[in-house]
Amino acid sequence: MQPSNRERASGDIASRIAKRIDGARLRVLIIGAGIAGATLGALLRQRGELPAIIEKGGELDGEGYMLGLLPLGGRVLNGLGLVAAYQSASVPVSTYALYDRHGRKIRSYRLGGLIDRYGVWRGIERGALIELLRGAAGTIDYGTSVSKIRNTATATLVTFNDGSSAEFDLVVGADGIHSSTRSLILKPNDVQGYDTGWGGFVAWSSLHDQKIDVYREMWSSGWRVGLYPVKDRLGMFLAGAHRMLAERDVDSYANEIEARLPDGPFARAVRMRDRSAGSFYWRMADCRTRIWRRGRTVLLGDAAAAFLPTAGVGASLAMDSAAALADELSRADVSHLDYALELYEKRQRRRVELAQANSRSLSRFMFVNSRPAAWLRDQLMRVYTLKMLVRDISRVMSGYR
């Protein structure tokens, strides 16, 4: 929801937000209305709080790529009463199938046991998930950003992009891997980056004869293809060395990949790709911050620890962390917010960093650049069990801290 024309005419950003949160028990500003920020906003609103949410992009902005949402995320949607809408906008995932560079299936991993224990996996477009969450989060000020943050002992003074300023009890930076909030409160050496040297294009294709509950990946040497069904279409990820792809476009690289593919589901998907749909280039790099908070400003989601998409857990962990933060805030008063933030970080940091380490570890299997290494990797994956593949993720879902 965007501010009304009357709200826009009523004064500067700070004044509009101040009116909207007047009387709030906690004056909370959420910077970023992506998955983490919108989830936190929806959870706080459900608890009767009045958070202010800003987003530097527009209402319809956001990369349209596919997500595999684990039970960690699905459970949050249960709590928000969004299960029916979520199921309508997504498809189930029951099997992960891995293929070698010749198109031969290495192994299929059926997820039934994990689903029975933890809950369903579902495939959904990022835009569809954000639409659900933003609808539950309430009013969002779009085209709005923060230029300065100054923490005091008991509050945080924020300066907005129009030069106006306002004071909040808490500021939450949920503005993604390239977080401006993070750069405003942390030093460069507080942030550690991890770069695989790879990248890839997200593109779209027809479902055709693809089973909607099966994720397929073909791992080769120097390139990779993934097929991920969502509602009514098929998401594709065409990966390779970043230095080779940085100046390429999706069509030229898709044509190159198509020429390499043996006949089968991967070749058909690339051949039937939707050339009119937009594409998104994803750099296979992440980051981790040494600390999650400074004063009354705290980081959430990718702003604190961004994920490679290799384990498909980033969105789910962002929602899980938002739920943990909302839970701690619901039990805190203004005088004891510092303690609530300390408890939030204790609850989530080790869980998040364990899952992030798992994503990094998987990238070493997926992103190899020589045929001998790819052959050795393929032989290893023939004996690599599902339990081994998702060991750390299972620990996170079991409540490890």
Side-chain angles (χ1 to χ4, degrees):
M1 182 187 302
Q2 291 198 33
S4 66
N5 290 333
R6 181 176 295 177
E7 284 182 299
R8 290 194 187 95
S10 66
D12 54 36
I13 295 170
S15 297
R16 293 202 309 268
I17 290 178
K19 290 177 182 178
R20 197 173 303 133
I21 66 174
D22 183 42
R25 187 183 72 88
L26 300 175
R27 298 173 299 166
V28 179
L29 173 68
I30 301 172
I31 303 173
I35 291 170
T39 300
L40 179 62
L43 289 169
L44 291 178
R45 188 183 183 207
Q46 183 185 57
R47 288 164 168 79
E49 306 290 354
L50 299 172
I53 310 173
I54 64 171
E55 166 60 44
K56 68 178 180 180
E59 187 172 9
L60 301 178
D61 287 355
E63 298 84 7
Y65 53 84
M66 53 281 174
L67 297 169
L69 202 63
L70 275 66
L72 282 171
R75 292 176 68 245
V76 177
L77 294 170
N78 284 340
L80 286 170
L82 296 174
V83 172
Y86 170 48
Q87 291 179 341
S88 176
S90 62
V91 296
V93 181
S94 66
T95 305
Y96 169 64
L98 177 61
Y99 297 73
D100 67 16
R101 66 185 184 280
H102 302 295
R104 297 178 300 221
K105 187 183 293 185
I106 297 173
R107 188 161 187 160
S108 285
Y109 299 91
R110 297 195 63 81
L111 305 177
L114 293 173
I115 291 170
D116 290 342
R117 181 175 181 183
Y118 300 116
V120 297
W121 264 261
R122 299 189 71 87
I124 189 169
E125 290 190 41
R126 179 179 181 271
L129 178 59
I130 287 179
E131 184 178 358
L132 287 178
L133 293 169
R134 287 182 178 178
T139 300
I140 297 169
D141 282 88
Y142 293 95
T144 305
S145 59
V146 169
S147 60
K148 187 176 180 180
I149 294 174
R150 184 168 65 86
N151 284 297
T152 68
T154 58
T156 299
L157 182 65
V158 170
T159 302
F160 295 101
N161 54 298
D162 68 346
S164 63
S165 298
E167 188 177 82
F168 297 89
D169 299 315
L170 175 66
V171 173
V172 181
D175 45 347
I177 186 172
H178 303 296
S179 170
S180 60
T181 308
R182 186 177 63 223
S183 64
L184 289 172
I185 67 168
L186 300 185
K187 299 175 181 178
N189 60 5
D190 288 329
V191 184
Q192 172 216 39
Y194 178 83
D195 193 342
T196 68
W198 280 51
F201 292 101
V202 174
W204 300 96
S205 186
S206 165
L207 282 168
H208 189 51
D209 58 354
Q210 302 278 352
K211 294 183 178 179
I212 64 169
D213 62 342
V214 179
Y215 276 11
R216 291 184 170 91
E217 292 183 342
M218 177 186 286
W219 296 358
S220 187
S221 57
W223 58 279
R224 172 177 168 264
V225 181
L227 305 180
Y228 313 100
V230 294
K231 186 176 181 180
D232 298 331
R233 59 178 180 170
L234 182 68
M236 299 188 298
F237 187 59
L238 311 176
H242 172 70
R243 68 179 185 279
M244 302 291 291
L245 299 184
E247 303 301 324
R248 301 283 297 273
D249 62 74
V250 62
D251 286 328
S252 68
Y253 190 56
N255 290 336
E256 181 181 321
I257 291 292
E258 184 179 350
R260 297 175 179 174
L261 290 169
D263 188 40
F266 295 94
R268 287 195 295 275
V270 177
R271 184 168 57 250
M272 298 176 65
R273 67 187 182 277
D274 183 355
R275 292 167 174 80
S276 66
S279 65
F280 169 69
Y281 183 74
W282 199 334
R283 180 79 181 270
M284 295 293 98
D286 70 21
C287 69
R288 174 187 295 183
T289 61
R290 185 177 60 83
I291 56 176
W292 282 16
R293 58 196 171 93
R294 177 152 287 155
R296 290 290 183 87
T297 303
V298 66
L299 301 175
L300 175 67
D302 282 354
F307 280 75
L308 299 171
T310 48
V313 71
S316 299
L317 254 297
M319 296 174 70
D320 183 64
S321 292
L325 180 55
D327 182 48
E328 295 299 342
L329 293 178
S330 72
R331 295 198 292 268
D333 56 27
V334 173
S335 300
H336 297 92
L337 279 177
D338 292 336
Y339 181 52
L341 299 181
E342 179 183 340
L343 292 176
Y344 153 67
E345 187 168 352
K346 283 183 177 179
R347 283 177 63 167
Q348 291 301 110
R349 174 184 279 279
R350 292 182 67 189
R351 288 161 54 79
V352 167
E353 291 184 354
L354 177 65
Q356 187 190 56
N358 181 257
S359 297
R360 291 177 175 183
S361 178
L362 285 173
S363 74
R364 299 185 183 99
F365 284 100
M366 295 181 180
F367 305 141
V368 300
N369 295 301
S370 71
R371 288 189 177 183
W375 180 87
L376 183 62
R377 185 263 320 278
D378 293 349
Q379 305 315 305
L380 178 62
M381 294 308 298
R382 294 182 193 282
V383 297
Y384 213 71
T385 66
L386 178 63
K387 185 176 181 180
M388 296 164 65
L389 195 66
V390 298
R391 179 189 59 192
D392 291 338
I393 303 302
S394 294
R395 291 175 68 194
V396 171
M397 289 192 293
S398 296
Y400 170 83
R401 294 179 188 174

